[in-house]
Amino acid sequence: MILYFSGTGNTRLAADRLARLTGDQAVPIDFDAASMPLQGRRDRIVWCFPTYSWGPPPVVADFISRVRLEAGGIPHFMLTTCGDDMAYTDRRWKRLIAARGWQAAGAFAVAMPNTYVLMKGFDVDSPETAAAKLAAMPAAMEPIAEAIGSGGPDILIRGSWPWVKSYVIYPWFVRHAMLPRPFHHTGACTGCGGCARSCPLGNIAMQPGGTPHWGNRCAMCLRCYHSCPRNAVAYGKATAGKGRYMAPKDI
């Protein structure tokens, strides 16, 4: 079974492509579930998620730490989508898997369009770069699917300074840069409620006046920001002038 978490659709695309190649079933992670029954193939689990500042998304890490799975003796694999590189995301994931007594069998990464826009110097890719990454993904998934089926080597995108990124920057990011408080709506908001309906953790509530309010249970996936049809979601002043991106439904 392929368990995936996707904010703007990149990881969903990769998980769906992997499912086509391996015959596994791709299932979105239900973060409110205490347990998840295995579906489809029962001989492996593939965890798919985006790289967050060179580590696993905290919501995925928390889910792995507490979910009940019929996973005794089943090998676990990781597939992460990253804008540029994933550093030692695989090592952090393997520690999570080992802490549950599960077998970490392999880890893989595929480049997808950048989506992080909440800090100075970070923005979405140009349309040309995003299109090139999307076009390259299907071919990149073929050796990954083969390695999962045959027990082949990991396929990773380390990048430069991986230890610093995953063991210095990532912990700082999780502690200090994942606060949902700066999220707000602008005057362009029409109160359509799309952000609230699409939030994977149900963290956005529509107020009596018809405007959204962000709570404290945020995955920081930026789906609300990128998907708003009126570009009416902002994060403090950090998103001023920044681009938006949502993955196509299929490629």
Side-chain angles (χ1 to χ4, degrees), residues 117 122-124 225 231 233-234 236-244:
V117 296
F122 289 84
D123 204 345
V124 298
Y225 167 82
N231 295 343
V233 174
K237 297 181 180 180
T239 49
K242 299 290 183 70
R244 287 171 168 79

Side-chain angles (χ1 to χ4, degrees), residues 20 25 51 91 102 107 110 112 120 125 132 139-140 150 158 164 189 192 197 204 210-211 227 236 240 245:
R20 295 181 199 175
Q25 183 173 0
T51 293
R91 295 187 181 183
W102 299 337
V110 61
M112 293 290 276
K120 185 177 181 180
D125 290 327
S150 64
R158 284 268 184 249
V164 172
C189 179
C192 72
R197 290 191 296 273
I204 304 173
T211 54
S227 65
Y245 164 87

Side-chain angles (χ1 to χ4, degrees), residues 2 21 26 30 35 40-41 43-44 70 86 89-90 92 96 100 115 136 154 176 182 187 224 236-237 251:
I2 298 171
L21 293 169
D30 178 358
S35 64
R41 299 181 60 126
D43 56 353
R44 61 179 171 238
E70 303 165 12
M86 43 78 75
T89 295
D90 57 313
R92 300 199 71 104
L96 293 168
R100 294 299 309 272
T115 64
D154 293 353
H176 299 290
C224 58
K237 297 181 180 180
I251 52 176

Side-chain angles (χ1 to χ4, degrees), residues 148-163:
I148 289 175
S150 64
D154 293 353
I155 300 174
L156 306 171
I157 308 174
R158 284 268 184 249
S160 59
W161 301 97
W163 191 91

